[in-house]
Amino acid sequence: MITIHHLNNSRSQRILWMLEELGVPYEVKRYERGKDMQAPKAMRQIHPLGKSPILTDGEHTIAETGAIVEYILDRHGDGRLMPPPGTEDYWQARHFLHYAEGSAMPPLFLMLVLQMIPARAPMLVRPILKSAMQKVDTLLVLPQLKLHLDHWEQSLGATGWFAGPEISVADIMMSFPVEAAAQRFGYEDRPLLRDFLLRIHARPAFRQGLKRGGPYAYA
């Protein structure tokens, strides 16, 4: 049986949601972040990088969300959560499957790092670092994030989903970047993104994934 090694408030919540949507039996092994917000060292016993999510299934140990999603689709998808092969929606879904981690998350992570640097610095230099990090955020990070948010809102325009007329792997992969960005931007001026979050968070499979995974700050 599939086991998901799941870290609280992490990207692995998407995998639990996906498995619930597909009705695939699975087990969850929970891990809690330390005071430094990092995954515990126990996860390195499962995979050398010690990052969540990790999937184990018999002899297979797979890390990286995108690879895990591909594995689940290949073994249990039966054509579900992926538009018909060769269609424009199919390639759009493939785009977002890889884009979510490859392009969407890096500026969001950088934004978090810029906030953390002054908070963890000695008291005397915090004001200087805070000012410097705010300038980097304003000049470099925010313009990139605006570009990405525009792409998301535009992509939802046709159907309310990221790839085609119904929910797909694109929406599951994009859920975490959209949730993370919502913490800063709120989406008051981006109604399609706001409605997307309301819609996915109301899905029974999403709610069941939350029960299995435990506390999740983004829903």
Side-chain angles (χ1 to χ4, degrees), residues 27 116 120-121 136-137 170 192:
E27 296 178 349
M116 291 171 59
R120 298 189 178 188
V136 173
D137 187 46
L192 298 181

Side-chain angles (χ1 to χ4, degrees), residues 29-179:
K29 185 170 182 181
R30 296 186 188 179
Y31 301 80
E32 296 291 323
R33 296 180 184 274
K35 293 182 179 179
D36 59 358
M37 298 305 294
Q38 299 298 306
K41 293 181 179 178
M43 294 200 73
R44 295 183 188 173
Q45 298 175 9
I46 313 301
H47 187 276
L49 294 179
K51 304 292 185 182
S52 180
I54 303 170
L55 177 150
T56 54
D57 184 20
E59 64 182 7
H60 301 292
T61 298
I62 302 175
E64 292 296 331
T65 308
I68 291 171
V69 165
E70 298 256 26
Y71 179 88
I72 294 170
L73 284 177
D74 182 67
R75 298 212 163 203
H76 304 284
D78 295 325
R80 295 172 294 168
L81 294 181
M82 181 62 77
T87 64
E88 188 62 29
D89 291 339
Y90 174 88
W91 292 113
Q92 185 79 339
R94 287 287 178 188
H95 161 71
F96 281 113
L97 194 163
H98 297 286
Y99 161 87
E101 291 295 309
S103 295
M105 283 307 300
L108 289 167
F109 181 71
L110 179 55
M111 178 181 69
L112 178 62
V113 169
L114 294 177
Q115 294 171 350
M116 291 171 59
I117 289 174
R120 298 189 178 188
M123 187 69 70
L124 288 176
V125 299
R126 283 184 189 175
I128 298 172
L129 282 175
K130 184 176 181 180
S131 177
M133 295 304 102
Q134 286 176 341
K135 288 180 180 178
V136 173
D137 187 46
T138 300
L139 293 175
L140 296 179
V141 180
L142 282 177
Q144 281 298 307
L145 284 173
K146 182 181 182 303
L147 180 68
H148 286 289
L149 267 62
D150 288 344
H151 177 43
W152 304 352
E153 185 81 359
Q154 182 180 14
S155 297
L156 291 169
T159 66
W161 300 110
F162 278 99
E166 57 188 29
I167 190 170
S168 75
V169 67
D171 305 294
I172 292 173
M173 284 299 293
M174 284 300 298
S175 63
F176 191 79
V178 175
E179 288 169 333

